[in-house]
């Protein structure tokens, strides 16, 4: 089980400073969609250059032109690129093909907005993606939703891909997440919004490693 730090509401220097604080406790650093909108793929390049030993995920949430967008993110240094599960199968196939061509790059499918989780999880699993991620976005978090039940549903049907979970995970809710045994736990505000980021990240890492 691995821990991913999601950076969303910072610029490049702020993001690098934040990762410096917690780099020994995380496996993957996510350049969140808002950063890519504000700064472009330069943010991915800067993060990979600053932390070559960390995996960098570009949260592009690709919806079309999967091959092209994965190519561009890979060239910028991304190790993992996100694509939406609601995209066409052809788009997801294109993303997977390009990731293989780029040598060892991974595709994470974000299930945000999917109504029939079981059916779509089975379909995207058969397309050869590397991760299937259940995700409660900010707008549904604001309505009190969480991704915990969705994780159990997806874990029950996925046979090939690794599973990931994101959406409002905090230190207090991490044990419930870990009990469902995802391969990748994604935490944004649960670390970045804390005063003592190092302590929280260290505790999270300990729990995640215990849950291997
Ligand atoms: O992809 C995202 C928003 O679309 C976030 O990066 C993801 O939800 C993790 O952040 P948080 O733990 O703060 O919810």
């Amino acid at each position: 089980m691995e821990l991913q730090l999601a950076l969303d509401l910072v610029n490049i220097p702020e993001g690098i400073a934040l990762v410096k604080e917690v780099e020994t406790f995380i496996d993957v650093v996510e350049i969140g969609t808002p950063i890519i909108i504000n700064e472009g793929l330069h943010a991915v390049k800067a993060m990979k250059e600053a932390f070559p030993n960390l995996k960098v995920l570009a949260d592009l949430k690709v919806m079309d032109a999967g091959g092209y967008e994965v190519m561009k993110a890979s060239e910028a240094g991304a190790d993992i690129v996100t694509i939406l599960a609601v995209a066409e199968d052809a788009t997801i196939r294109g993303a997977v093909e390009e990731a293989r061509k780029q040598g060892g790059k991974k595709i994470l499918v974000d299930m945000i907005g999917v109504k029939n989780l079981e059916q779509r999880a089975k379909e995207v699993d058969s397309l050869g993606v590397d991760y299937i991620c259940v995700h409660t976005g900010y707008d549904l978090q604001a309505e009190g939703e969480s991704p915990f039940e969705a994780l159990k549903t997806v874990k029950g049907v996925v046979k090939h891909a690794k599973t990931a979970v994101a959406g409002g995970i905090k230190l207090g809710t991490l044990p419930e997440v870990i009990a469902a045994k995802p391969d990748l736990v994604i935490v944004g505000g649960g670390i970045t919004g804390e005063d003592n980021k190092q302590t929280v990240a260290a505790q999270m890492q300990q729990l995640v490693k215990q849950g291997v």
Side-chain angles (χ1 to χ4, degrees):
M1 198 179 294
E2 293 194 310
L3 180 61
Q4 175 172 315
L5 171 69
L7 299 173
D8 284 297
L9 304 174
V10 289
N11 59 27
I12 296 172
E14 289 165 347
I16 288 175
L18 217 153
V19 174
K20 269 190 190 140
E21 280 189 64
V22 299
E23 65 172 303
T24 54
F25 308 118
I26 61 173
D27 304 289
V28 185
V29 57
E30 168 187 332
I31 304 301
T33 320
I35 302 183
I36 294 175
I37 287 170
N38 292 332
E39 312 253 15
L41 286 168
H42 300 296
V44 172
K45 191 166 187 290
M47 195 60 70
K48 192 66 192 177
E49 282 172 3
F51 303 98
N53 296 329
L54 286 179
K55 284 177 254 184
V56 174
L57 176 142
D59 192 15
L60 290 183
K61 295 189 173 79
V62 170
M63 189 62 185
D64 191 17
Y68 179 79
E69 297 196 2
V70 168
M71 178 179 70
K72 289 292 152 191
S74 300
E75 285 170 0
D79 301 289
I80 309 172
V81 183
T82 67
I83 184 161
L84 295 178
V86 294
E88 300 289 352
D89 287 358
T91 305
I92 297 176
R93 265 192 220 104
V96 170
E97 270 170 34
E98 184 60 31
R100 303 291 174 264
K101 235 189 262 173
Q102 293 285 336
K105 306 293 180 176
K106 307 287 184 205
I107 297 297
L108 181 146
V109 169
D110 187 333
M111 299 295 282
I112 194 168
V114 169
K115 301 297 176 212
N116 189 334
L117 273 178
E118 272 192 37
Q119 186 191 325
R120 193 60 182 144
K122 280 184 202 163
E123 289 167 359
V124 295
D125 196 27
S126 73
L127 296 175
V129 305
D130 300 287
Y131 295 88
I132 297 178
C133 179
V134 293
H135 180 196
T136 302
Y138 294 136
D139 297 337
L140 287 191
Q141 285 181 42
E143 294 180 10
E145 301 225 3
S146 76
F148 311 140
E149 280 309 310
L151 175 59
K152 289 179 203 157
T153 303
V154 165
K155 282 283 300 184
V157 295
V158 166
K159 292 194 165 58
H160 307 291
K162 293 182 174 179
T163 54
V165 54
I169 298 168
K170 306 276 187 274
L171 188 55
T173 51
L174 188 56
E176 184 184 351
V177 173
I178 289 171
K181 299 208 176 299
D183 298 287
L184 180 64
V185 178
I186 302 170
V187 180
I191 294 174
T192 61
E194 294 294 323
D195 289 336
N196 198 339
K197 298 171 191 30
Q198 264 188 358
T199 308
V200 174
Q203 287 174 317
M204 285 190 163
Q205 184 199 43
Q206 205 179 7
L207 289 170
V208 163
K209 294 303 168 209
Q210 282 165 5
V212 167

